[in-house]
Amino acid sequence: MSEAVVLYVWPGEWDLPSLDPECLTALCYLKYSQIEHTVQVVEKHWDLLKNSLPRLTFKNEVYSGIDEIIDFIKQNKNDEFLLSDKNYPDMLAILCLFKQKFIPAFNALCWLDNENTYSVIRKAYGKHLWFPFSLIKLKSIADNAKNVIMSGYRSSHVQFESINQHILYESKECLNIISTKLGENLFMFENKPSLLDAYLFGYLSVLYKAPFINSALKSHLLASSNLCSLITRIQREQFPIDKEGKINDEQTEQIFSSFARNRKQKSERAC
C-alpha cells in the first residue's frame, strides 16, 4: 500500500502495548497481516474521551471499532496467512464460541466486579483521562458491557448477579476447549497465525498480565500452561520489550520479517 495505514490505540499498561483488549487484537492482527502501518498511541485526553478506539485510517477513510478494522484487514491482507478451506470454518466457529462464552465473563470481571473494576481497570484507564470527564467515559463503557451481557437473556427480570456464576462457568469451559484444541501447537490452526490467535492474545494477555484480585477466571487461565505460553510467545515475538520497558518496534519488524522469509522459503521448497 502506497498510502499510510495508521492504527490509533489506547496507551499501554502492564508491559503490554495497549491496555485495551480490542486494541491489542487489532495490533496483533495487523502484524500478522503484513500490511505496512504505523501505530499512534492516543494520549490526548480529549481524543480519548470523544472518539472510540481502536481506530484505523487509510486515505480518507476512517474505520472505527474492532469489527470495521478486521473487515479492512481481511480485504487487504496477504493471502499467505489465509487458512485452508478445511480449517477456516472451524476457526470461525471457535472464534464465535470465544466471543459468546469468554468475552462476556471477561467484561464482567473488568467492568462489573467492583473490586477489580475500581482497583485495576478504572485505575488504568482513568489515569489517561481528565477528571471528572473520566467518570462519564468509564461509566459509559461499563454500562455498554452490562447491556451486551444482559442482551443474551430475554427476560427483563433477570439480574446480573443471578447469572454471573453461569457466565463464569461457561467461560471456563470455553478456555478448556480452546486449550485442548491448541495442544502443543504454535498456533490454533496449521501452525500459523489467524484472527483467532489475535483475539486470544488481545483478551487473554490482559487477563494474564493485569493484577486482578481474587479472580477465578484468571486462576483458570493460569492453570492452562499452553495458553499462557501462547500469550507470552506472541508478545515476545511481535511486541518485544526493551531494557527500559518499552515496546521495541524495530526489533518487532526484524522478527516479523524473518518469520515471513522463513515461511516463503518453506513454501518455495514445497513447490
Side-chain angles (χ1 to χ4, degrees):
M1 291 185 179
S2 58
E3 299 285 345
V5 174
V6 183
L7 179 67
Y8 297 85
V9 299
W10 278 89
E13 191 75 21
W14 314 304
D15 289 334
L16 292 170
S18 176
L19 57 80
D20 183 78
E22 291 191 347
C23 291
L24 289 170
T25 301
L27 281 164
C28 190
Y29 198 43
L30 263 178
K31 286 280 188 181
Y32 287 144
S33 72
Q34 299 190 54
I35 295 175
E36 292 186 8
H37 65 281
T38 59
V39 176
Q40 180 66 54
V41 177
V42 179
E43 296 180 319
K44 294 181 179 179
H45 298 272
W46 188 247
D47 193 5
L48 289 169
L49 285 167
K50 184 176 63 172
N51 298 308
S52 63
L53 295 173
R55 185 173 72 252
L56 183 145
T57 60
F58 176 62
K59 296 183 178 179
N60 295 322
E61 298 293 328
V62 178
Y63 302 85
S64 296
I66 188 64
D67 291 335
E68 289 189 9
I69 292 173
I70 287 173
D71 286 342
F72 169 84
I73 295 173
K74 285 181 176 179
Q75 293 170 9
N76 296 277
K77 71 181 296 188
N78 190 320
D79 289 342
E80 184 180 357
F81 284 88
L82 291 176
L83 294 178
S84 65
D85 292 339
K86 176 183 176 181
N87 286 321
Y88 189 72
D90 292 339
M91 185 276 289
L92 290 182
I94 296 180
L95 177 58
C96 183
L97 178 73
F98 184 74
K99 289 181 177 180
Q100 291 181 350
K101 303 301 183 182
F102 176 82
I103 291 181
F106 175 86
N107 286 336
L109 171 65
C110 291
W111 299 105
L112 303 178
D113 179 301
N114 285 336
E115 185 174 23
N116 284 296
T117 296
Y118 289 96
S119 299
V120 181
I121 297 301
R122 280 180 175 258
K123 182 179 179 181
Y125 280 80
K127 70 183 184 181
H128 301 290
L129 299 165
W130 277 326
F131 182 85
F133 300 108
S134 59
L135 300 178
I136 300 172
K137 177 73 171 183
L138 298 179
K139 184 179 185 303
S140 174
I141 297 175
D143 288 344
N144 181 66
K146 185 174 183 178
N147 290 337
V148 171
I149 292 172
M150 299 307 296
S151 66
Y153 298 85
R154 295 180 179 180
S155 175
S156 60
H157 300 291
V158 174
Q159 299 296 316
F160 171 74
E161 290 73 19
S162 66
I163 63 173
N164 189 29
Q165 288 303 313
H166 177 67
I167 292 173
L168 178 60
Y169 171 79
E170 288 194 325
S171 68
K172 290 180 179 179
E173 288 299 300
C174 175
L175 288 184
N176 290 343
I177 292 171
I178 292 174
S179 177
T180 300
K181 177 67 181 74
L182 176 62
E184 297 181 357
N185 298 317
L186 293 177
F187 297 102
M188 290 297 295
F189 289 94
E190 301 177 19
N191 273 331
K192 63 181 178 181
S194 68
L195 177 58
L196 176 57
D197 298 286
Y199 260 96
L200 292 177
F201 175 74
Y203 282 85
L204 297 186
S205 62
V206 175
L207 181 60
Y208 183 66
K209 293 257 188 172
F212 290 111
I213 305 165
N214 299 324
S215 168
L217 187 58
K218 178 165 184 170
S219 296
H220 196 77
L221 171 64
L222 294 177
S224 302
S225 58
N226 60 344
L227 291 178
C228 294
S229 296
L230 175 69
I231 297 164
T232 54
R233 180 172 48 77
I234 290 177
Q235 179 166 12
R236 182 177 66 250
E237 293 177 351
Q238 302 304 325
F239 309 101
I241 300 173
D242 63 20
K243 294 180 180 180
E244 297 180 357
K246 298 178 181 179
I247 304 299
N248 190 330
D249 290 332
E250 182 178 353
Q251 186 178 351
T252 298
E253 292 303 323
Q254 292 173 353
I255 291 173
F256 189 76
S257 296
S258 176
F259 173 77
R261 284 197 304 272
N262 289 338
R263 286 191 55 81
K264 184 176 180 181
Q265 290 171 359
K266 289 180 181 179
S267 176
E268 290 174 348
R269 286 198 297 268
C271 294

